[in-house]
Amino acid sequence: MAEPILEVSGLVKHYPLTRGVLFKKQIGAVKAVDGVDFTLAQGETLGIVGESGCGKSTVARLLCGLERPTAGTITFKGEDITRLSGKALKAVRRNIQMVFQDPYTSLNPRMTVGDIIGEPYDIHPEAAPKGDRRRRVQELLDVVGLDPEYINRYPHQFSGGQRQRIGIARGLALRPEIIVADEPVSALDVSIQAQVVNLLARLQTEFDLSYLFIAHDLSIVRHISDRVAVMYLGRIVETGRDSEIYDHPTHPYTQALLSAVPVPDPDAREHRERIILTGDVPSPADIPSGCRFRTRCWKAQERCVVEVPALAVPAAFRDAAGPAAHPSACHFAEEKQVVPPEESRLNGNGPG
Amino acid sequence: MLLDARDLHVEFHTRDGIAHAVNGVGYAVDAGQTLAVLGESGSGKSVTAQAVMGILDTPPGRITQGRILFRGRDLLTLKGEERRRIRGTEMAMIFQDALSALNPVMTVGDQLGEMFVVHRGMSRKDARARAVELMERVRIPAAAQRVRDYPHQFSGGMRQRIMIAMALALEPALIIADEPTTALDVTVQAQVMDLLADLQREYRMGLILITHDLGVVADVADRIAVMYAGRIVETAPVHDLYKAPAHPYTRGLLDSIPRLDHKGRQLYAIKGLPPNLTHIPPGCSFHPRCPMARDVCRTDEPPLYEVSETRGSACHFWRECLDG
Ligand SMILES: Nc1ncnc2c1ncn2[C@@H]1O[C@H](COP(=O)(O)OP(=O)(O)OP(=O)(O)O)[C@@H](O)[C@H]1O
Ligand SMILES: Nc1ncnc2c1ncn2[C@@H]1O[C@H](COP(=O)(O)OP(=O)(O)OP(=O)(O)O)[C@@H](O)[C@H]1O
Ligand code: SF4
Ligand SMILES: [Mg+2]
Ligand SMILES: [Mg+2]
């Protein structure tokens, strides 16, 4: 693999829980991100999946410097950006840009599209001389498939899919090397979702971008990612290449998650085994001891209560070179196929 | 037939003109059957359901045409009081957002119990006991204690199950579930859909499931009706539709979803956007986005052609589409 462009190590973000008005006393912490490690290679897409509240957006905000981590390092091209401040930080931030989930609320309704896309140039004037901005913005509109004539329109004059393109154009304005996309297509209808996913794929090749793609839709993540990390309660519990995770998952949580995804094939109904998890996700302010998944895990034993499983290739697979030999944080990791391979009936190329 | 809606038309008077939200929708569901209604945002799924339930906002909405036969009687001709009685006891609705559908200042036990007090004339004490039973039925742990809790004290998945309990309380013949799991995580969605399917089988209810998720449809439905711009463009038994769609819109939707079982090539993307409902294109409303469109599509509105005894497609060229 190529030299990583981004390396995240021991990343932690705890939000203090306080009581009292005058004399704030810390009574605990919401452990939103609780020890996350991963790398991202140049031109690669790393997908992050996990259920609501597992810390995906917090990771995204930390990477883009919108918040400071409680602990850990974020190394961009060999430099730990969590230690930077002022000018140096600003310069690095140019290279890591974010695209947000909600195309309806992430754009300021009182700004024109031109102002929205050009806003990053106000913060980084060195990126585009004043006289050149309009042309740059029109170019960006064109790149994301919108009419450059739309430059003076307001967000409400666009559909959801078009607004998401505006958000992507803004993300591209500073020519970043990394795009952190936080659920960029979750709010869109399937037909529009496909348009935006294809656009992101095209831009990646065109500009040699590296993506951190966050979503809770496992099918989209597989489609777009080279590697995938599955998060649960603030930690990555399993990570590997897309086929290692989807076709050879070894962590019980990944298996349950994959088995719960409804697949668009009525014939699969009969031969699919569903793993229905009982109970709810515990609060990140009160994380279970040992393995954090144990309260919902059907395999949990005494050992899971007392010993934290490390994210590493499980001993059982260490000597084999097969697809099951990828990091999985489970004491009883076992391979289990939960996504039945189907014939590629739906993989046509559209009507007509 | 338990429910048979025919040629329904609904319009809204808006600032920009008349929005034709529902334009001749017909669908039917029998006891013990699940009909999935699928379509993109704004295609008229919820408005049709609101018309059937009798909870449409009028004004601005107006039903201009159609019949809604429920157990043989046309609901649109019934008096207000009779309509309310049917809505309260014989049909029920489950919404996407349980938090706003439940009363925030009343305990869930009181809300569930009230159904039995009002409609079955039960005592408070008996009603409370039934509420606990129902909560156990929808697998709320420690129901006897939690019956005194308020909606905000439950997780999203539990609230959705409580709303299911509420809909089931009086054992209605028909349930309309409008995106019941859209706001939930997949593992919780699986819990909730599992429960809904079990209960539906047990009580032999008719279920109309509104969704935009082709995966959910494939998992639970017997029949499917695909909506586009306020019309049903294709209706079929689920197996037939997934095997060979007879409408280019359905085909486009199936081709545009990424797969879980392998990494696909580029996704097929239906070009363009759904129409503005105040200016629906003439002819086939899908023609500006359709890769198969020809002249006749721009002028003549396709009727719902009979593809087989159990299937229909509103495309002039359904035969070609079916053949791939
Ligand atoms: N500023 C904050 N103060 C306190 N708690 C926070 C804050 N931001 C996030 N959290 C908590 O941290 C946890 C992780 O939140 P985060 O938004 O990262 O989750 P997520 O995985 O993005 O979820 P979703 O899929 O719902 O977007 C949640 O429990 C959330 O409530
Ligand atoms: N109270 C209302 N006033 C004006 N227009 C309305 C009203 N309710 C619905 N509409 C319009 O009717 C059309 C159909 O809406 P409907 O809610 O049925 O769509 P839907 O298929 O349920 O979409 P979604 O998937 O987003 O829920 C929309 O264009 C909507 O704007
Ligand atoms: S470590 Fe134990 S509790 Fe955790 S996932 Fe594995 S078996 Fe389940
Ligand atoms: Mg998030
Ligand atoms: Mg709706």
Side-chain angles (χ1 to χ4, degrees):
Chain A
M1 204 204 308
E3 180 80 344
I5 183 168
L6 192 76
E7 201 167 348
V8 169
S9 175
L11 195 65
V12 172
K13 180 69 188 178
H14 289 179
Y15 297 103
L17 279 170
T18 54
R19 190 184 286 149
V21 187
L22 263 185
F23 301 101
K24 285 222 169 72
K25 196 171 139 223
Q26 183 167 344
I27 52 165
V30 176
K31 300 178 176 169
V33 175
D34 203 25
V36 160
D37 310 276
F38 62 82
T39 59
L40 181 67
Q42 172 90 39
E44 183 193 41
T45 300
L46 173 67
I48 297 193
V49 292
E51 295 180 283
S52 186
C54 71
K56 305 181 296 294
S57 296
T58 307
V59 168
R61 287 195 304 271
L62 293 170
L63 291 183
C64 296
L66 300 176
E67 281 184 67
R68 286 212 174 254
T70 308
T73 58
I74 301 171
T75 311
F76 174 74
K77 291 188 163 174
E79 191 172 26
D80 180 6
I81 62 174
T82 62
R83 291 175 192 281
L84 301 179
S85 58
K87 255 209 186 113
L89 179 61
K90 214 172 120 184
V92 172
R93 271 195 199 161
R94 253 186 80 173
N95 284 306
I96 308 175
Q97 291 290 315
M98 185 136 162
V99 173
F100 295 91
Q101 165 172 8
D102 190 350
Y104 296 92
T105 58
S106 63
L107 305 180
N108 184 336
R110 276 178 292 274
M111 279 164 74
T112 66
V113 166
D115 292 337
I116 290 171
I117 298 174
E119 199 182 18
Y121 298 136
D122 294 338
I123 307 162
H124 298 274
E126 74 283 3
K130 255 225 142 72
D132 200 31
R133 284 199 195 170
R134 196 181 158 80
R135 193 186 57 78
R136 290 258 188 135
V137 168
Q138 287 188 319
E139 232 174 68
L140 285 165
L141 281 169
D142 190 51
V143 162
V144 298
L146 292 173
D147 189 341
E149 299 298 310
Y150 288 169
I151 189 162
N152 292 322
R153 293 201 183 179
Y154 290 89
H156 75 265
Q157 294 171 289
F158 293 90
S159 70
Q162 288 173 322
R163 284 186 225 206
Q164 201 52 286
R165 287 168 191 265
I166 295 169
I168 292 169
R170 177 175 57 184
L172 288 174
L174 299 171
R175 289 289 173 106
E177 296 181 65
I178 297 173
I179 296 252
V180 177
D182 189 5
E183 310 254 10
V185 295
S186 308
L188 306 175
D189 274 313
V190 270
S191 77
I192 310 300
Q193 215 170 61
Q195 295 175 0
V196 175
V197 166
N198 287 344
L199 170 68
L200 286 169
R202 197 194 86 214
L203 294 173
Q204 177 160 44
T205 338
E206 214 168 299
F207 299 107
D208 195 24
L209 295 166
S210 310
Y211 285 153
L212 193 80
F213 188 93
I214 296 172
H216 60 259
D217 182 329
L218 287 120
S219 309
I220 293 214
V221 167
R222 172 160 208 182
H223 180 82
I224 204 159
S225 308
D226 302 304
R227 284 188 307 123
V228 177
V230 181
M231 274 186 85
Y232 187 79
L233 267 184
R235 279 233 179 138
I236 293 175
V237 295
E238 183 166 8
T239 180
R241 299 193 54 78
D242 80 280
S243 64
E244 290 174 340
I245 299 297
Y246 286 75
D247 303 330
H248 307 275
T250 67
H251 196 287
Y253 177 62
T254 311
Q255 291 164 354
L257 203 58
L258 285 170
S259 84
V261 178
V263 298
D265 176 5
D267 292 332
R269 243 188 249 184
E270 285 83 49
H271 10 265
R272 262 190 100 192
E273 190 200 340
R274 274 273 153 91
I275 304 165
I276 301 281
L277 291 179
T278 49
D280 292 305
V281 184
S283 156
D286 191 11
I287 291 180
S289 67
C291 171
R292 53 193 65 210
F293 181 57
R294 69 172 165 85
T295 55
R296 298 172 83 202
C297 183
W298 68 98
K299 284 174 146 180
Q301 309 266 325
E302 188 51 37
R303 183 173 170 203
C304 309
V305 182
V306 291
E307 193 184 328
V308 178
L311 180 64
V313 180
F317 307 115
R318 223 164 276 159
D319 299 323
H326 59 264
S328 172
C330 171
H331 296 308
F332 302 101
E334 261 179 314
E335 206 178 333
K336 184 181 177 86
Q337 196 183 50
V338 281
V339 181
E342 296 145 31
E343 74 297 336
S344 41
R345 175 176 41 76
L346 291 173
N347 200 32
N349 259 323
Chain B
M1 202 51 74
L2 177 63
L3 177 90
D4 187 357
R6 298 187 186 165
D7 196 31
L8 262 186
H9 290 254
V10 181
E11 55 185 41
F12 289 93
H13 289 257
T14 70
R15 269 189 313 150
D16 305 323
I18 296 174
H20 300 275
V22 177
N23 308 298
V25 165
Y27 57 52
V29 62
D30 229 337
Q33 243 199 2
T34 298
L35 168 75
V37 178
L38 180 109
E40 290 182 72
S41 191
S43 57
K45 306 180 295 293
S46 298
V47 169
T48 306
Q50 287 158 7
V52 170
M53 276 301 286
I55 54 170
L56 192 69
D57 276 336
T58 48
R62 200 161 74 91
I63 299 176
T64 55
Q65 204 177 311
R67 302 210 287 161
I68 301 170
L69 303 173
F70 180 69
R71 292 177 155 163
R73 289 202 295 171
D74 186 353
L75 296 178
L76 295 177
T77 63
L78 295 182
K79 290 246 166 28
E81 195 182 326
E82 177 62 1
R83 188 81 206 265
R84 264 195 299 282
R85 192 193 62 74
I86 291 179
R87 174 161 75 235
T89 60
E90 294 180 46
M91 44 168 61
M93 190 143 169
I94 298 167
F95 300 89
Q96 172 173 345
D97 179 8
L99 197 54
S100 61
L102 295 169
N103 184 342
V105 295
M106 211 171 156
T107 67
V108 297
D110 285 347
Q111 291 185 62
L112 285 165
E114 197 181 54
M115 315 265 295
F116 299 106
V117 175
V118 173
H119 293 284
R120 296 282 187 264
M122 276 189 195
S123 71
R124 291 256 157 228
K125 187 156 163 273
D126 291 348
R128 167 62 55 112
R130 288 303 302 276
V132 174
E133 243 172 70
L134 266 175
M135 284 171 67
E136 280 166 354
R137 215 49 211 84
V138 296
R139 305 173 200 154
I140 304 282
Q145 284 98 61
R146 303 223 57 185
V147 70
R148 282 179 208 88
D149 286 348
Y150 292 88
H152 73 263
Q153 291 171 283
F154 293 87
S155 71
M158 283 203 242
R159 279 200 292 266
Q160 212 60 16
R161 281 181 286 176
I162 287 167
M163 194 154 61
I164 290 174
M166 199 116 127
L168 287 171
L170 305 174
E171 299 184 19
L174 176 71
I175 291 220
I176 302 182
D178 192 350
E179 313 252 11
T181 57
T182 304
L184 306 176
D185 277 317
V186 288
T187 62
V188 183
Q189 163 169 298
Q191 290 172 1
V192 171
M193 285 312 303
D194 216 45
L195 173 73
L196 194 58
D198 272 0
L199 296 170
Q200 186 229 2
R201 233 170 288 132
E202 189 181 325
Y203 295 114
R204 276 191 53 74
M205 297 176 298
L207 173 64
I208 297 178
L209 177 71
I210 297 174
T211 176
H212 58 256
D213 186 331
L214 280 152
V216 171
V217 175
D219 253 356
V220 298
D222 301 304
R223 287 190 62 81
I224 173 170
V226 181
M227 287 190 71
Y228 187 79
R231 289 196 66 194
I232 291 193
V233 293
E234 176 163 13
T235 171
V238 273
H239 283 86
D240 297 357
L241 182 130
Y242 284 78
K243 215 162 275 151
H247 196 286
Y249 176 61
T250 316
R251 177 166 275 255
L253 284 181
L254 285 172
D255 283 343
S256 59
I257 33 180
R259 299 290 307 252
L260 190 64
D261 61 341
H262 63 246
K263 198 182 185 79
R265 295 182 295 264
Q266 207 189 24
L267 293 177
Y268 173 75
I270 301 175
K271 64 179 182 190
L273 300 172
N276 178 336
L277 298 176
T278 56
H279 295 95
I280 296 182
C284 170
S285 55
F286 186 57
H287 86 251
R289 306 178 72 189
C290 182
M292 291 173 61
R294 292 174 223 169
D295 285 345
V296 59
C297 307
R298 290 179 260 277
T299 50
D300 296 13
E301 183 173 324
L304 192 68
Y305 293 106
E306 190 180 302
V307 172
S308 76
E309 240 170 72
T310 53
R311 300 186 64 166
S313 163
C315 169
H316 293 304
F317 302 104
W318 61 266
R319 234 179 263 277
E320 274 174 46
C321 186
L322 204 56
D323 294 341

